[in-house]
Amino acid sequence: MSDRGSSRPPSAATLRRLERASGSLATRAVARMDDVLPWFRTMPADQRSWVMLVAQAGIASLVEWCRTPTRPPRLTGEVFGAAPRELARVVPLKHTVDLIKVTVEVMDDFVESVAEPGDADALRLAVLQFSREVAFATAHVYATFAESRGAWDARLEALVVDALVRGERTEELSGRASALGWAAMSPVTVLVGSAPAAGDAHGATRRAARQLRSEVLVGVHADQLVVVLGGADRLEAVAERVSDEFGPGPVVMGPVVDSLSRAGDSAAAALAGLRAAAAWPGAPRPVPADALLPERALDGDPVARATLQERVALPLQGAGGEVLETVRAVLASGGNLEASARALFVHPNTVRYRLKRATDLTGLSATDARGGWTLQVALALAALDADRSLWH
């Protein structure tokens, strides 16, 4: 609110002289900025020209402001209309305050030379009052920009997460994420689970991830919370902490990949794992998607089926009949090594040796409940595939 009613405005002649001098004053203001503000000297030429335009617009707005004392100020559009968004994007609020201060100082220095005789005090007071109004307008510009930037960031983040869920694998994802401040190149993983019914899932998840120095993108896809994590040394520890922010039910961690452009692969595996997780009620939270390979394969996931073939069935088949035969015998006996040895007519130590070879090849132990289940599913699916190939 202006208090110009308490003093007379500058005369029309003074305002005409100020209007004619606006270009010169703006040039002098920018020259002084260059002298006293080290950061201003490093600005690109186009950004400095924006400052010149805003300074000229500010002086023109001062003239109009003084000519119509009863008109409410509309300084946001008048002063910053030349480059509002660009300035707010590249110049911090503190620096903009410095620019206004320098401009006001230059105008104050030239009051005597611009004002008509007897008008100097009125013009000087008008400059000071106007600078206060500009300060309020500046705060409004930056507040509006922050609000719109926040809304834009939320939309862009939702688009990035949705693209990952839909399986997009393009380099554009990295560019979009960079616009959101994503700086990590690798590693990257995707975490999926149910969205919490109440509370700020986005804010809580971000805080949890950033406490462990991880990059994070958050999105809600249908009723699922999808979280992209990256850049941390131990993503497993970050995923464990972040999983506390999900709703009830399983939380699945996709495989760690080397870049955001491949995060779609991690998301696909995590979502497939989430669909199949009900078949493993005792799964940890979070559970790696690869730990759910047998359930995913049974649920019809072709990637899981191919992975079991590659990681389990083929290595055992390539190790020779004795190793594969021993694994089958141990599985059939429920993990009883002595019974397996009798069935195979070998010593129990021979069974142990062959099982160790099988574990080295597949990373799975036939005597472990979970490992035995994965081996059983992998070998059963391999047998079905082999049988089908005979019919074609």
Side-chain angles (χ1 to χ4, degrees):
M1 176 71 71
S2 173
D3 55 2
R4 286 177 290 167
S6 61
S7 60
R8 72 172 181 84
S11 66
T14 293
L15 294 179
R16 284 195 297 271
R17 294 182 63 177
L18 178 62
E19 197 169 27
R20 288 194 297 269
S22 61
S24 174
L25 288 174
T27 301
R28 291 174 183 271
V30 172
R32 185 172 297 184
M33 293 170 194
D34 195 71
D35 289 338
V36 302
L37 302 175
W39 56 265
F40 184 76
R41 300 183 206 119
T42 64
M43 291 179 68
D46 59 338
Q47 296 174 13
R48 291 162 64 97
S49 69
W50 293 339
V51 174
M52 171 76 81
L53 289 173
V54 171
Q56 288 179 314
I59 297 171
S61 184
L62 167 62
V63 173
E64 188 61 28
W65 189 72
C66 292
R67 282 175 174 161
T68 54
T70 60
R71 182 179 68 91
R74 295 190 296 270
L75 302 183
T76 300
E78 293 176 355
V79 178
F80 295 99
R85 184 171 298 276
E86 289 83 352
L87 273 182
R89 192 185 306 276
V90 300
V91 182
L93 177 59
K94 180 181 181 300
H95 287 175
T96 301
V97 171
D98 291 338
L99 296 176
I100 294 171
K101 181 181 177 183
V102 170
T103 303
V104 171
E105 289 173 350
V106 169
M107 293 177 68
D108 190 64
D109 289 346
F110 284 86
V111 162
E112 298 289 347
S113 61
V114 171
E116 290 286 323
D119 244 6
D121 289 342
L123 180 57
R124 184 172 285 110
L125 181 60
V127 168
L128 293 176
Q129 291 173 342
F130 183 75
S131 67
R132 183 187 64 184
E133 300 288 353
V134 171
F136 284 122
T138 302
H140 176 73
V141 167
Y142 276 82
T144 302
F145 176 78
E147 182 179 350
S148 62
R149 177 60 189 266
W152 169 251
D153 283 355
R155 289 193 295 271
L156 182 58
E157 184 175 31
L159 287 173
V160 171
V161 173
D162 185 64
L164 293 175
V165 170
R166 287 187 284 104
E168 287 189 19
R169 295 168 178 82
T170 66
E171 293 298 331
E172 291 181 5
L173 288 175
S174 299
R176 295 172 186 169
S178 296
L180 294 167
W182 179 281
M185 301 305 292
S186 65
V188 177
T189 187
V190 178
L191 207 61
V192 298
S194 65
D200 179 13
H202 288 73
T205 302
R206 285 193 186 88
R207 287 191 294 272
R210 287 169 180 165
Q211 283 174 359
L212 297 179
R213 302 181 184 279
S214 174
E215 301 281 358
V216 59
L217 297 173
V218 186
V220 176
H221 188 79
D223 59 348
Q224 296 169 348
L225 182 62
V226 181
V227 180
V228 185
L229 302 172
D233 293 332
R234 294 179 61 242
L235 282 182
E236 293 80 5
V238 180
E240 185 173 353
R241 168 64 187 88
V242 169
S243 66
D244 294 339
E245 308 303 330
F246 282 73
V251 176
V252 182
M253 177 181 176
V256 175
V257 294
D258 58 10
S259 69
L260 191 65
S261 62
R262 293 192 56 219
D265 297 330
S266 183
L271 289 167
L274 187 64
R275 288 190 294 270
W280 185 10
R285 178 181 154 122
V287 57
D290 280 0
L292 287 160
L293 283 173
E295 288 79 10
R296 288 167 52 191
L298 292 175
D299 192 46
D301 179 8
V303 174
R305 190 164 182 149
T307 302
L308 287 175
Q309 175 82 351
E310 178 184 348
R311 295 182 185 176
V312 180
L314 290 178
L316 290 178
Q317 292 165 358
E322 291 181 345
V323 173
L324 181 56
E325 182 184 25
T326 300
V327 169
R328 291 188 185 280
V330 171
L331 293 175
S333 69
N336 189 316
L337 300 189
E338 286 73 17
S340 301
R342 289 193 297 271
L344 295 170
F345 302 103
V346 298
H347 193 277
N349 284 343
T350 301
V351 173
R352 292 187 180 91
Y353 170 78
R354 293 175 182 174
L355 287 183
K356 183 179 183 304
R357 180 123 183 258
T359 299
D360 291 341
L361 289 170
T362 65
L364 301 168
S365 172
T367 58
D368 170 74
R370 187 69 195 168
W373 162 246
T374 304
L375 286 165
Q376 203 159 17
V377 171
L379 293 175
L381 292 174
L384 290 173
D385 289 341
D387 187 58
R388 288 194 187 94
S389 66
L390 295 176
W391 288 90
H392 291 83

PDB file of all heavy atoms in Angstrom, residues 94-112:
ATOM      1  N   LYS A  94      18.243 -12.928  -3.656  1.00  0.00           N
ATOM      2  CA  LYS A  94      19.203 -12.046  -2.989  1.00  0.00           C
ATOM      3  C   LYS A  94      19.927 -11.162  -4.001  1.00  0.00           C
ATOM      4  O   LYS A  94      20.134  -9.963  -3.762  1.00  0.00           O
ATOM      5  CB  LYS A  94      20.223 -12.884  -2.209  1.00  0.00           C
ATOM      6  CG  LYS A  94      21.264 -12.051  -1.477  1.00  0.00           C
ATOM      7  CD  LYS A  94      22.245 -12.948  -0.740  1.00  0.00           C
ATOM      8  CE  LYS A  94      23.268 -12.118   0.018  1.00  0.00           C
ATOM      9  NZ  LYS A  94      24.063 -11.250  -0.854  1.00  0.00           N
ATOM     10  N   HIS A  95      20.299 -11.716  -5.150  1.00  0.00           N
ATOM     11  CA  HIS A  95      20.976 -10.928  -6.178  1.00  0.00           C
ATOM     12  C   HIS A  95      20.030  -9.900  -6.791  1.00  0.00           C
ATOM     13  O   HIS A  95      20.442  -8.780  -7.118  1.00  0.00           O
ATOM     14  CB  HIS A  95      21.537 -11.845  -7.266  1.00  0.00           C
ATOM     15  CG  HIS A  95      22.732 -12.625  -6.824  1.00  0.00           C
ATOM     16  ND1 HIS A  95      23.329 -13.585  -7.609  1.00  0.00           N
ATOM     17  CD2 HIS A  95      23.441 -12.594  -5.671  1.00  0.00           C
ATOM     18  CE1 HIS A  95      24.347 -14.102  -6.959  1.00  0.00           C
ATOM     19  NE2 HIS A  95      24.438 -13.526  -5.784  1.00  0.00           N
ATOM     20  N   THR A  96      18.765 -10.260  -6.946  1.00  0.00           N
ATOM     21  CA  THR A  96      17.800  -9.303  -7.494  1.00  0.00           C
ATOM     22  C   THR A  96      17.626  -8.121  -6.553  1.00  0.00           C
ATOM     23  O   THR A  96      17.500  -6.968  -6.993  1.00  0.00           O
ATOM     24  CB  THR A  96      16.444  -9.996  -7.726  1.00  0.00           C
ATOM     25  OG1 THR A  96      16.635 -11.084  -8.639  1.00  0.00           O
ATOM     26  CG2 THR A  96      15.433  -9.032  -8.314  1.00  0.00           C
ATOM     27  N   VAL A  97      17.634  -8.381  -5.258  1.00  0.00           N
ATOM     28  CA  VAL A  97      17.573  -7.285  -4.282  1.00  0.00           C
ATOM     29  C   VAL A  97      18.777  -6.365  -4.441  1.00  0.00           C
ATOM     30  O   VAL A  97      18.656  -5.131  -4.384  1.00  0.00           O
ATOM     31  CB  VAL A  97      17.494  -7.852  -2.852  1.00  0.00           C
ATOM     32  CG1 VAL A  97      17.644  -6.732  -1.820  1.00  0.00           C
ATOM     33  CG2 VAL A  97      16.182  -8.594  -2.644  1.00  0.00           C
ATOM     34  N   ASP A  98      19.961  -6.940  -4.685  1.00  0.00           N
ATOM     35  CA  ASP A  98      21.157  -6.128  -4.916  1.00  0.00           C
ATOM     36  C   ASP A  98      21.002  -5.263  -6.171  1.00  0.00           C
ATOM     37  O   ASP A  98      21.412  -4.090  -6.187  1.00  0.00           O
ATOM     38  CB  ASP A  98      22.388  -7.026  -5.068  1.00  0.00           C
ATOM     39  CG  ASP A  98      22.776  -7.707  -3.767  1.00  0.00           C
ATOM     40  OD1 ASP A  98      22.390  -7.187  -2.696  1.00  0.00           O
ATOM     41  OD2 ASP A  98      23.451  -8.749  -3.821  1.00  0.00           O
ATOM     42  N   LEU A  99      20.405  -5.829  -7.219  1.00  0.00           N
ATOM     43  CA  LEU A  99      20.201  -5.075  -8.457  1.00  0.00           C
ATOM     44  C   LEU A  99      19.269  -3.884  -8.218  1.00  0.00           C
ATOM     45  O   LEU A  99      19.520  -2.769  -8.705  1.00  0.00           O
ATOM     46  CB  LEU A  99      19.611  -5.977  -9.539  1.00  0.00           C
ATOM     47  CG  LEU A  99      20.485  -7.146 -10.019  1.00  0.00           C
ATOM     48  CD1 LEU A  99      19.710  -7.996 -11.021  1.00  0.00           C
ATOM     49  CD2 LEU A  99      21.776  -6.643 -10.635  1.00  0.00           C
ATOM     50  N   ILE A 100      18.193  -4.122  -7.470  1.00  0.00           N
ATOM     51  CA  ILE A 100      17.263  -3.026  -7.175  1.00  0.00           C
ATOM     52  C   ILE A 100      17.953  -1.946  -6.356  1.00  0.00           C
ATOM     53  O   ILE A 100      17.792  -0.741  -6.610  1.00  0.00           O
ATOM     54  CB  ILE A 100      16.035  -3.576  -6.423  1.00  0.00           C
ATOM     55  CG1 ILE A 100      15.237  -4.506  -7.337  1.00  0.00           C
ATOM     56  CG2 ILE A 100      15.149  -2.437  -5.916  1.00  0.00           C
ATOM     57  CD1 ILE A 100      14.126  -5.255  -6.622  1.00  0.00           C
ATOM     58  N   LYS A 101      18.749  -2.366  -5.386  1.00  0.00           N
ATOM     59  CA  LYS A 101      19.449  -1.413  -4.527  1.00  0.00           C
ATOM     60  C   LYS A 101      20.381  -0.520  -5.348  1.00  0.00           C
ATOM     61  O   LYS A 101      20.414   0.715  -5.171  1.00  0.00           O
ATOM     62  CB  LYS A 101      20.248  -2.159  -3.458  1.00  0.00           C
ATOM     63  CG  LYS A 101      20.988  -1.261  -2.491  1.00  0.00           C
ATOM     64  CD  LYS A 101      21.781  -2.085  -1.481  1.00  0.00           C
ATOM     65  CE  LYS A 101      22.589  -1.178  -0.557  1.00  0.00           C
ATOM     66  NZ  LYS A 101      23.421  -1.958   0.389  1.00  0.00           N
ATOM     67  N   VAL A 102      21.148  -1.129  -6.262  1.00  0.00           N
ATOM     68  CA  VAL A 102      22.065  -0.341  -7.090  1.00  0.00           C
ATOM     69  C   VAL A 102      21.286   0.623  -7.976  1.00  0.00           C
ATOM     70  O   VAL A 102      21.670   1.801  -8.126  1.00  0.00           O
ATOM     71  CB  VAL A 102      22.945  -1.276  -7.946  1.00  0.00           C
ATOM     72  CG1 VAL A 102      23.726  -0.480  -8.986  1.00  0.00           C
ATOM     73  CG2 VAL A 102      23.906  -2.060  -7.059  1.00  0.00           C
ATOM     74  N   THR A 103      20.187   0.159  -8.565  1.00  0.00           N
ATOM     75  CA  THR A 103      19.385   1.031  -9.433  1.00  0.00           C
ATOM     76  C   THR A 103      18.834   2.220  -8.658  1.00  0.00           C
ATOM     77  O   THR A 103      18.860   3.370  -9.142  1.00  0.00           O
ATOM     78  CB  THR A 103      18.227   0.227 -10.054  1.00  0.00           C
ATOM     79  OG1 THR A 103      18.773  -0.893 -10.777  1.00  0.00           O
ATOM     80  CG2 THR A 103      17.423   1.085 -11.010  1.00  0.00           C
ATOM     81  N   VAL A 104      18.351   1.979  -7.452  1.00  0.00           N
ATOM     82  CA  VAL A 104      17.816   3.070  -6.624  1.00  0.00           C
ATOM     83  C   VAL A 104      18.918   4.054  -6.255  1.00  0.00           C
ATOM     84  O   VAL A 104      18.720   5.277  -6.270  1.00  0.00           O
ATOM     85  CB  VAL A 104      17.145   2.495  -5.359  1.00  0.00           C
ATOM     86  CG1 VAL A 104      16.789   3.609  -4.382  1.00  0.00           C
ATOM     87  CG2 VAL A 104      15.906   1.704  -5.735  1.00  0.00           C
ATOM     88  N   GLU A 105      20.106   3.533  -5.952  1.00  0.00           N
ATOM     89  CA  GLU A 105      21.229   4.414  -5.618  1.00  0.00           C
ATOM     90  C   GLU A 105      21.595   5.309  -6.791  1.00  0.00           C
ATOM     91  O   GLU A 105      21.871   6.513  -6.613  1.00  0.00           O
ATOM     92  CB  GLU A 105      22.436   3.581  -5.192  1.00  0.00           C
ATOM     93  CG  GLU A 105      22.284   2.900  -3.839  1.00  0.00           C
ATOM     94  CD  GLU A 105      23.432   1.960  -3.538  1.00  0.00           C
ATOM     95  OE1 GLU A 105      24.246   1.696  -4.455  1.00  0.00           O
ATOM     96  OE2 GLU A 105      23.527   1.471  -2.389  1.00  0.00           O
ATOM     97  N   VAL A 106      21.609   4.748  -8.007  1.00  0.00           N
ATOM     98  CA  VAL A 106      21.927   5.554  -9.193  1.00  0.00           C
ATOM     99  C   VAL A 106      20.874   6.639  -9.404  1.00  0.00           C
ATOM    100  O   VAL A 106      21.192   7.800  -9.679  1.00  0.00           O
ATOM    101  CB  VAL A 106      22.042   4.642 -10.438  1.00  0.00           C
ATOM    102  CG1 VAL A 106      22.090   5.485 -11.715  1.00  0.00           C
ATOM    103  CG2 VAL A 106      23.289   3.772 -10.335  1.00  0.00           C
ATOM    104  N   MET A 107      19.606   6.266  -9.288  1.00  0.00           N
ATOM    105  CA  MET A 107      18.539   7.254  -9.456  1.00  0.00           C
ATOM    106  C   MET A 107      18.635   8.339  -8.398  1.00  0.00           C
ATOM    107  O   MET A 107      18.444   9.533  -8.687  1.00  0.00           O
ATOM    108  CB  MET A 107      17.173   6.558  -9.395  1.00  0.00           C
ATOM    109  CG  MET A 107      16.907   5.627 -10.573  1.00  0.00           C
ATOM    110  SD  MET A 107      15.327   4.755 -10.431  1.00  0.00           S
ATOM    111  CE  MET A 107      14.197   6.121 -10.623  1.00  0.00           C
ATOM    112  N   ASP A 108      18.960   7.956  -7.186  1.00  0.00           N
ATOM    113  CA  ASP A 108      19.095   8.931  -6.105  1.00  0.00           C
ATOM    114  C   ASP A 108      20.250   9.889  -6.376  1.00  0.00           C
ATOM    115  O   ASP A 108      20.160  11.102  -6.105  1.00  0.00           O
ATOM    116  CB  ASP A 108      19.302   8.204  -4.777  1.00  0.00           C
ATOM    117  CG  ASP A 108      19.209   9.142  -3.589  1.00  0.00           C
ATOM    118  OD1 ASP A 108      18.119   9.700  -3.364  1.00  0.00           O
ATOM    119  OD2 ASP A 108      20.227   9.316  -2.881  1.00  0.00           O
ATOM    120  N   ASP A 109      21.349   9.374  -6.933  1.00  0.00           N
ATOM    121  CA  ASP A 109      22.506  10.216  -7.241  1.00  0.00           C
ATOM    122  C   ASP A 109      22.174  11.278  -8.295  1.00  0.00           C
ATOM    123  O   ASP A 109      22.783  12.357  -8.317  1.00  0.00           O
ATOM    124  CB  ASP A 109      23.677   9.356  -7.736  1.00  0.00           C
ATOM    125  CG  ASP A 109      24.297   8.521  -6.623  1.00  0.00           C
ATOM    126  OD1 ASP A 109      23.998   8.805  -5.439  1.00  0.00           O
ATOM    127  OD2 ASP A 109      25.039   7.573  -6.940  1.00  0.00           O
ATOM    128  N   PHE A 110      21.238  10.958  -9.185  1.00  0.00           N
ATOM    129  CA  PHE A 110      20.937  11.875 -10.294  1.00  0.00           C
ATOM    130  C   PHE A 110      19.639  12.648 -10.091  1.00  0.00           C
ATOM    131  O   PHE A 110      19.137  13.275 -11.021  1.00  0.00           O
ATOM    132  CB  PHE A 110      20.903  11.084 -11.609  1.00  0.00           C
ATOM    133  CG  PHE A 110      22.266  10.718 -12.115  1.00  0.00           C
ATOM    134  CD1 PHE A 110      22.900   9.568 -11.675  1.00  0.00           C
ATOM    135  CD2 PHE A 110      22.947  11.541 -13.009  1.00  0.00           C
ATOM    136  CE1 PHE A 110      24.166   9.230 -12.127  1.00  0.00           C
ATOM    137  CE2 PHE A 110      24.198  11.210 -13.461  1.00  0.00           C
ATOM    138  CZ  PHE A 110      24.828  10.054 -13.026  1.00  0.00           C
ATOM    139  N   VAL A 111      19.095  12.595  -8.888  1.00  0.00           N
ATOM    140  CA  VAL A 111      17.868  13.341  -8.608  1.00  0.00           C
ATOM    141  C   VAL A 111      18.065  14.830  -8.867  1.00  0.00           C
ATOM    142  O   VAL A 111      17.226  15.507  -9.500  1.00  0.00           O
ATOM    143  CB  VAL A 111      17.397  13.086  -7.163  1.00  0.00           C
ATOM    144  CG1 VAL A 111      16.421  14.167  -6.712  1.00  0.00           C
ATOM    145  CG2 VAL A 111      16.754  11.716  -7.054  1.00  0.00           C
ATOM    146  N   GLU A 112      19.161  15.387  -8.383  1.00  0.00           N
ATOM    147  CA  GLU A 112      19.403  16.834  -8.505  1.00  0.00           C
ATOM    148  C   GLU A 112      19.483  17.268  -9.962  1.00  0.00           C
ATOM    149  O   GLU A 112      18.999  18.339 -10.333  1.00  0.00           O
ATOM    150  CB  GLU A 112      20.689  17.218  -7.774  1.00  0.00           C
ATOM    151  CG  GLU A 112      20.665  16.958  -6.279  1.00  0.00           C
ATOM    152  CD  GLU A 112      19.748  17.927  -5.539  1.00  0.00           C
ATOM    153  OE1 GLU A 112      19.339  18.944  -6.140  1.00  0.00           O
ATOM    154  OE2 GLU A 112      19.429  17.654  -4.367  1.00  0.00           O
TER     155      GLU A 112
END
